[in-house]
Amino acid sequence: MAKKQESTAVEATKIDARIPEGVLAEKWSNYKAHQKLVNPSNKRRLDIIVVGTGLAGSSAAASMAELGFNVLNFCIQDSPRRAHSIAAQGGINAAKNYQNDGDSVYRLFYDTIKGGDYRAREANVYRLAEVSNGIIDQCVAQGVPFAREYGGLLDNRSFGGAQVSRTFYAKGQTGQQLLLGAYSALSRQVGKGAVKLFSRYEMLDVVIIDGRARGIIARNLVSGKIERFFAHAVVVGSGGYGNTFFLSTNAMTSNASAAVQMYKKGAYISNPAYCQIHPTCIPVHGETQSKLTLMSESLRNDGRIWVPKLKEDAEAIRAGKKKATDLKEDERDYYLERRYPAFGNLVPRDVASRAAKERCDAGYGVGNTGLAVYLDFSSSIERLGENTIRARYGNLFQMYEKIVDENPYKMPMMIYPAIHYTMGGVWVDYELQTSVKGLFCIGEANFSDHGANRLGASALMQGLADGYFVLPYTIQNYLADQIQVPRLSTDLPEFDQAEKGIRAKIEKIMKIQGDTSVDSIHRELGLIMWDFVGMGRNKAGLETALEKIKAVRHEFWTKVYVPGVSTDLNVELEKALRMADFIEIGELIARDALMREESCGGHFREEYQTPDGEALRNDEEFSFASCWKFNGEGEEPELLKEALDYEFVHRQQRNYKA
Amino acid sequence: MEKNINLTLKIWRQAGPKVKGEFETYKLDNVSTDNSFLEMLDILNEKLVKERKEPIAFDHDCREGICGMCSLFINGHPHGLDGETTTCQLHIRRFHNGQTITIEPWRSAAFPVIKDLMVDRGAFDKIIQAGGYVSVNTGGVPDGNAIPISKVFADEAMDAASCIGCGACAATCKNGSAMLFVAAKVSQLALLPQGKVEAAHRAKAMVAKMDELGFGNCTNTGACEAECPKAISISHIARLNREFLSAKFKD
């Protein structure tokens, strides 16, 4: 049933993703049937480090401990339950087809590939769709209180980029409930002693011995002590790098440091330019703002997005002379419904974000800054009643009112796009192993399944797929060859050297004693990223960004001021260490965006668009995943390419109009 | 209302768990009322760093009211005076120009201070580890729709499950009791058929761990419910007591 292979002009390279042979639907079954396993008595003798306790990290740590491995789990917050997966609101996708609306594993696979603008690996995405149903069953068994119908069966809602209702949800707190489910499974293993938990610890380096990952160096954030940990394999699920932009919907400690550490030890960073800008966030209020707040995509089920049809009205609203509710129906431009009749307000995130920017840039934006559009519930409230809307989105409306001080039941919400998720990340093969042996990467931290744009409710699906159902299998294929390796001493020279490197870096930062705070440098980097590497990118802007990032790097390493001492709890030092890595990843994002001379998904190069402003891909030359290889400090990284040959899906211009 | 206000902040400073702490007073002028409470502390910290002073340590992460990491007693109330609000969602527009704000850490024997406003809430993790789960391994579970669950029970379980584990309940309780936290988890799982199987064992194990860790007893003052940022109802404590008693009777 395999169709003709659609190859590209991309030169074949050394990058091998180790995708199993066979037709798409059978690859994962074949893999599992033939992979190597570790027998129970050997599992006890093998240690696995898992960094991160989000959906991917905690589900992986719990599942591998259940199998019998000895797991060490590291958490940057005071408890695994705080990981930022907890903030995901809308839901999790699965191909259950409970609604009888035509869903299937293939359709979920196809929607995800298309949503990712044909820049994801077919085999990974198909596997993701295949295991999606098991995730729902697993979570129900853990006691996750998903929303239910009166008959007692699970309820679903719709999300962007799909024409079926396949999203399972728990009010507007789905991420919280799924994370608490994984956290409970993890806690059960901690209670049993199968997982050793290290809270308030931050990974500072990965230790490589004879070409294999054999441990990490981590800092105890309370005591400031630097400690060494050995393991037969290291798994990193440390989340995305959205905070490079300073203002994002990520949590305050979300960072890119683990990714940069892996990169500097030989793991490739793939597609860093693919950053997701979420269309429905609460607009920026001022210069002292610390972060942005997302309003769930699920709101687009019942909310209609619009701006005034006339510029004069937009100007009057910005000046405070008119209110949204003063404009009559025919004075409003429901621009998503106008431009994309088939998907309307439920177009994918990248499309919705760009459309909002287009209207605001053209002078139709609202709010006092002009950088906002309306998300209006009045017609849904009229149709369904305020109580129904309250039951569906009550907590989101409450959150909006607290932040903006306006009642969204009476006045339309104001929203604007913001950085939310990063599709790019550490390159992994089909087994979720990086280009360093024994080093695995899961969840948002890896680049695997979303291509150039992630669909709503797919991040939770991918994090849990990796942790519950993929890694616990694939890591055994690696560990089966490691059963003869004893627990190594952390006094080995490789550990010494890694720790020495970290100590030198910390000392260097502490000694600068300049006059600029970490946050003010971070804010500067964020503005450069948003202005030149944000929603609309072009060659000149990206070149400017690269120059400016260089200046920020210089400023950081000569002017930063970190108070206190490094041998104690020191929040400013933690931030400074993360900041140094945000600069590195920021540069890689700009570099990748400059290299990719096409538009696809979340990466929009203004030079490459269709006459009506849609992203214009160049499959001939750019159908590949970029893999950036570190070549030493101060050196240009090398670009390697993993060719993306589509065997099963026919690539086409994404169309959400008809 | 004025867009920018001046504040006087009385903040608890404590260098470490074993060191004696004290209040320090700071003046902070021209704070935008659109700022959140934690952004106001960011501004103060930025100022302290500029003056080459040690910034104030406080816990926070998501700043969306869901991770449960932020804490703080603000003018005598956990997460401040606003109902159903975490500190990160509290805004400066709730304060007036010239106001003095007292900011303290959680005060509870089971939550020792780490530094300044940061406390150790590891005891809550230990209570969950003692039994706050359904004993299922990954894989081999029935279809999600195999067991219908009444919407009424599912919704009530969801209300209980919305606990964010911030610790406001225990910190505000005059007995330092963690009953609302424990009850929320016991109740959520007891309401669902998946959790019902081990409900009795769970109630006993979690209550025993809570006692062991130095939390006090519940005397039904209701302060926990009043201060809970997620409005978790004390009716869950009644359900915990029922589960606990029936477990004891079976012994």
Side-chain angles (χ1 to χ4, degrees):
Chain A
M1 68 168 252
K3 287 182 197 163
K4 175 171 83 34
Q5 182 162 324
E6 286 184 18
S7 61
T8 66
V10 176
E11 278 176 47
T13 57
K14 293 158 280 182
I15 306 275
D16 178 11
R18 301 171 69 192
I19 295 164
E21 293 298 317
V23 293
L24 194 57
E26 290 167 16
K27 283 179 193 288
W28 181 230
S29 308
N30 285 343
Y31 176 88
K32 288 192 291 183
H34 298 106
Q35 69 162 115
K36 285 177 274 186
L37 294 174
V38 180
N39 91 29
S41 65
N42 283 329
K43 284 186 184 127
R44 283 195 291 277
R45 291 190 287 161
L46 293 170
D47 299 344
I48 302 171
I49 283 174
V50 178
V51 178
T53 59
L55 286 174
S58 55
S59 61
S63 302
M64 294 190 298
E66 287 161 9
L67 288 171
F69 293 106
N70 189 36
V71 177
L72 292 84
N73 194 189
F74 292 81
C75 170
I76 197 168
Q77 294 94 350
D78 70 333
S79 163
R81 65 181 298 154
R82 316 274 189 225
H84 200 51
S85 304
I86 203 148
Q89 296 167 351
I92 176 165
N93 288 330
K96 286 283 197 185
N97 193 31
Y98 283 159
Q99 304 303 326
N100 192 34
D101 55 0
D103 204 5
S104 62
V105 166
Y106 186 85
R107 194 173 285 274
L108 173 54
F109 153 75
Y110 180 80
D111 286 348
T112 308
I113 283 279
K114 177 187 172 193
D117 218 351
Y118 306 96
R119 288 291 175 266
R121 225 184 253 154
E122 283 181 315
N124 281 54
V125 177
Y126 196 88
R127 176 178 65 188
L128 175 68
E130 241 181 310
V131 304
S132 67
N133 292 340
I135 297 170
I136 302 304
D137 302 339
Q138 188 63 35
C139 295
V140 168
Q142 289 169 345
V144 169
F146 282 123
R148 290 189 178 257
E149 303 273 13
Y150 281 100
L153 302 182
L154 292 158
D155 192 15
N156 291 111
R157 55 168 58 142
S158 315
F159 253 64
Q163 288 173 313
V164 295
S165 288
R166 62 161 73 101
T167 305
F168 294 79
Y169 66 101
K171 276 195 178 166
Q173 292 138 264
T174 317
Q176 178 196 29
Q177 294 311 315
L178 297 180
L179 183 67
L180 293 181
Y183 163 73
S184 72
L186 172 65
S187 296
R188 177 168 163 248
Q189 296 306 314
V190 174
K192 285 181 169 181
V195 174
K196 192 147 191 257
L197 183 65
F198 297 86
S199 294
R200 296 197 195 258
Y201 270 76
E202 183 165 10
M203 172 179 172
L204 293 185
D205 207 358
V206 54
V207 179
I208 313 286
I209 298 175
D210 294 335
R212 291 171 192 273
R214 291 295 188 204
I216 65 165
I217 309 285
R219 185 166 177 270
N220 177 330
L221 298 179
V222 174
S223 69
K225 216 176 134 212
I226 291 168
E227 299 175 29
R228 307 172 178 192
F229 300 90
F230 162 82
H232 293 87
V234 175
V235 179
V236 176
S238 56
Y241 47 85
N243 268 348
T244 311
F245 290 76
F246 188 69
L247 285 182
S248 83
T249 65
N250 286 6
M252 304 306 284
T253 49
S254 300
N255 69 78
S257 291
V260 171
Q261 290 150 24
M262 292 190 279
Y263 166 65
K264 292 193 171 173
K265 287 291 169 85
Y268 311 140
I269 297 267
S270 198
N271 301 334
Y274 296 161
C275 304
Q276 179 160 81
I277 295 174
H278 196 295
T280 54
C281 298
I282 298 178
V284 175
H285 66 65
E287 281 173 11
T288 48
Q289 188 154 359
S290 61
K291 76 153 276 164
L292 297 171
T293 303
L294 176 78
M295 288 283 105
S296 168
E297 176 162 315
S298 62
L299 291 170
R300 289 198 269 144
N301 271 296
D302 290 307
R304 299 175 69 196
I305 293 176
W306 64 275
V307 291
K309 222 175 234 173
L310 297 172
K311 262 188 201 168
E312 299 86 85
D313 284 335
E315 279 158 18
I317 287 172
R318 289 200 291 270
K321 289 180 196 147
K322 267 190 180 178
K323 289 192 306 229
T325 43
D326 294 339
L327 298 198
K328 292 191 206 70
E329 213 39 41
D330 61 351
E331 293 171 319
R332 304 172 172 196
D333 175 17
Y334 295 94
Y335 57 88
L336 288 177
E337 296 169 24
R338 170 171 58 79
R339 281 178 69 177
Y340 308 100
F343 281 70
N345 292 294
L346 283 172
V347 290
R349 291 173 176 179
D350 54 334
V351 178
S353 290
R354 274 197 295 280
K357 178 176 156 54
E358 187 275 328
R359 282 294 82 189
C360 291
D361 289 352
Y364 296 91
V366 295
N368 42 19
T369 56
L371 293 177
V373 299
Y374 288 125
L375 176 61
D376 195 335
F377 293 86
S378 54
S379 54
S380 294
I381 290 173
E382 213 167 280
R383 183 163 47 93
L384 305 161
E386 196 172 309
N387 284 339
T388 306
I389 295 299
R390 194 182 304 277
R392 285 183 190 168
Y393 314 110
N395 63 324
L396 298 169
F397 276 50
Q398 187 198 26
M399 183 150 78
Y400 180 87
E401 190 168 358
K402 281 198 198 302
I403 295 172
V404 182
D405 205 23
E406 241 179 28
N407 179 353
Y409 294 99
K410 304 280 175 235
M411 284 297 275
M413 285 185 179
M414 279 187 291
I415 52 159
Y416 197 67
I419 290 283
H420 175 57
Y421 184 91
T422 50
M423 283 73 67
V426 175
W427 182 88
V428 288
D429 64 14
Y430 188 75
E431 296 185 310
L432 305 180
Q433 187 165 216
T434 69
S435 40
V436 175
K437 279 183 194 147
L439 182 61
F440 295 79
C441 192
I442 54 177
E444 187 182 348
N446 74 26
F447 90 115
S448 65
D449 299 349
H450 305 297
N453 174 57
R454 177 175 67 73
L455 289 184
S458 284
L460 304 186
M461 173 171 69
Q462 185 227 332
L464 290 179
D466 287 1
Y468 283 135
F469 297 115
V470 180
L471 184 77
Y473 285 88
T474 60
I475 201 169
Q476 292 193 58
N477 203 36
Y478 171 76
L479 287 171
D481 295 333
Q482 305 297 309
I483 53 175
Q484 307 285 359
V485 178
R487 292 198 164 104
L488 300 175
S489 161
T490 54
D491 292 333
L492 287 170
E494 288 85 351
F495 277 95
D496 274 340
Q497 211 188 345
E499 185 178 325
K500 216 178 271 171
I502 288 160
R503 286 190 185 279
K505 187 174 174 186
I506 290 176
E507 200 180 334
K508 192 172 165 193
I509 289 174
M510 295 300 296
K511 268 194 178 155
I512 298 169
Q513 294 288 309
D515 56 7
T516 313
S517 71
V518 179
D519 279 354
S520 55
I521 302 176
H522 197 169
R523 209 170 267 129
E524 218 176 302
L525 175 69
L527 279 178
I528 297 169
M529 297 303 294
W530 183 247
D531 288 347
F532 300 104
V533 199
M535 265 189 286
R537 301 161 170 177
N538 59 57
K539 185 167 184 285
L542 291 165
E543 283 166 351
T544 309
L546 282 167
E547 283 308 308
K548 284 179 179 275
I549 293 169
K550 251 183 222 154
V552 169
R553 179 186 284 120
H554 180 74
E555 186 185 5
F556 175 81
W557 287 105
T558 53
K559 289 197 181 142
V560 78
Y561 172 62
V562 176
V565 292
S566 64
T567 49
D568 194 1
L569 189 151
N570 190 335
V571 176
E572 289 297 309
L573 173 62
E574 292 167 26
K575 288 198 289 190
L577 285 165
R578 291 171 205 146
M579 184 64 217
D581 295 324
F582 282 131
I583 296 171
E584 302 303 312
I585 204 96
E587 191 173 54
L588 269 186
I589 298 171
R591 199 182 281 278
D592 194 49
L594 182 61
M595 175 280 297
R596 190 165 284 278
E597 293 174 331
E598 64 164 350
S599 294
C600 57
H603 168 67
F604 191 74
R605 282 282 298 264
E606 285 155 358
E607 305 97 311
Y608 309 100
Q609 52 180 306
T610 63
D612 47 358
E614 305 297 337
L616 187 61
R617 286 196 326 269
N618 176 349
D619 290 337
E620 265 307 297
E621 290 174 81
F622 288 96
S623 187
F624 63 83
S626 64
C627 302
W628 296 95
K629 183 172 177 249
F630 182 67
N631 264 343
E633 298 291 346
E635 301 292 321
E636 299 256 316
E638 184 184 349
L639 173 66
L640 306 174
K641 297 171 184 174
E642 179 199 332
L644 296 170
D645 292 328
Y646 274 65
E647 272 188 80
F648 303 96
V649 169
H650 170 63
R651 280 177 298 219
Q652 46 197 327
Q653 169 81 38
R654 276 198 306 172
N655 178 2
Y656 293 100
K657 292 175 192 288
Chain B
M1 200 172 90
E2 284 155 289
K3 197 74 185 144
N4 291 298
I5 60 173
N6 302 336
L7 297 168
T8 302
L9 307 164
K10 277 180 68 185
I11 301 178
W12 186 259
R13 301 300 307 256
Q14 184 174 337
K18 303 246 159 66
V19 189
K20 202 167 161 272
E22 59 181 9
F23 281 106
E24 264 192 53
T25 305
Y26 303 90
K27 294 257 180 219
L28 197 59
D29 290 345
N30 215 20
V31 185
S32 162
T33 51
D34 281 339
N35 278 128
S36 71
F37 197 83
L38 295 182
E39 284 167 352
M40 182 273 289
L41 287 180
D42 290 341
I43 297 168
L44 174 63
N45 272 346
E46 181 95 19
K47 185 168 167 255
L48 290 175
V49 169
K50 282 226 168 78
E51 293 165 4
R52 303 187 103 69
K53 290 180 185 150
E54 182 105 354
I56 296 148
F58 62 94
D59 271 323
H60 62 99
D61 200 28
C62 78
R63 299 204 176 189
E64 293 179 25
I66 195 78
C67 77
M69 187 122 178
C70 65
S71 53
L72 308 188
F73 255 80
I74 301 163
N75 286 342
H77 290 272
H79 299 294
L81 253 179
D82 264 19
E84 296 184 41
T85 304
T86 54
T87 294
C88 65
Q89 297 285 283
L90 178 66
H91 280 71
I92 298 303
R93 67 177 76 94
R94 297 281 171 242
F95 298 89
H96 58 78
N97 192 20
Q99 192 172 349
T100 298
I101 309 175
T102 308
I103 308 169
E104 299 168 81
W106 278 176
R107 307 258 190 215
S108 173
F111 298 150
V113 170
I114 293 173
K115 186 175 183 176
D116 297 337
L117 304 170
M118 209 180 249
V119 299
D120 180 359
R121 284 167 289 192
F124 271 11
D125 282 334
K126 293 199 180 87
I127 292 175
I128 297 292
Q129 287 156 17
Y133 46 75
V134 176
S135 296
V136 287
N137 284 353
T138 303
V141 298
D143 184 89
N145 261 349
I147 309 171
I149 300 174
S150 142
K151 180 170 163 52
V152 179
F153 288 151
D155 287 351
E156 206 182 337
M158 178 62 220
D159 288 343
S162 53
C163 167
I164 56 173
C166 65
C169 49
T172 202
C173 176
K174 69 184 172 77
N175 307 315
S177 169
M179 276 295 264
L180 190 61
F181 171 75
V182 174
K185 188 48 74 181
V186 166
S187 189
Q188 175 207 338
L189 296 177
L191 278 160
L192 301 170
Q194 290 82 3
K196 191 80 197 154
V197 183
E198 342 167 57
H201 169 76
R202 178 180 309 114
K204 274 198 300 183
M206 291 178 75
V207 168
K209 183 54 87 176
M210 173 179 78
D211 291 344
E212 180 196 317
L213 291 168
F215 289 100
N217 287 321
C218 173
T219 53
N220 281 313
T221 64
C224 52
E225 180 188 67
E227 299 287 13
C228 173
K230 298 293 155 184
I232 310 267
S233 160
I234 50 169
S235 65
H236 296 296
I237 297 184
R239 183 171 289 108
L240 166 62
N241 286 333
R242 278 203 300 281
E243 293 295 336
F244 185 74
L245 280 177
S246 76
K248 283 286 174 194
F249 280 133
K250 280 180 200 148
D251 281 350

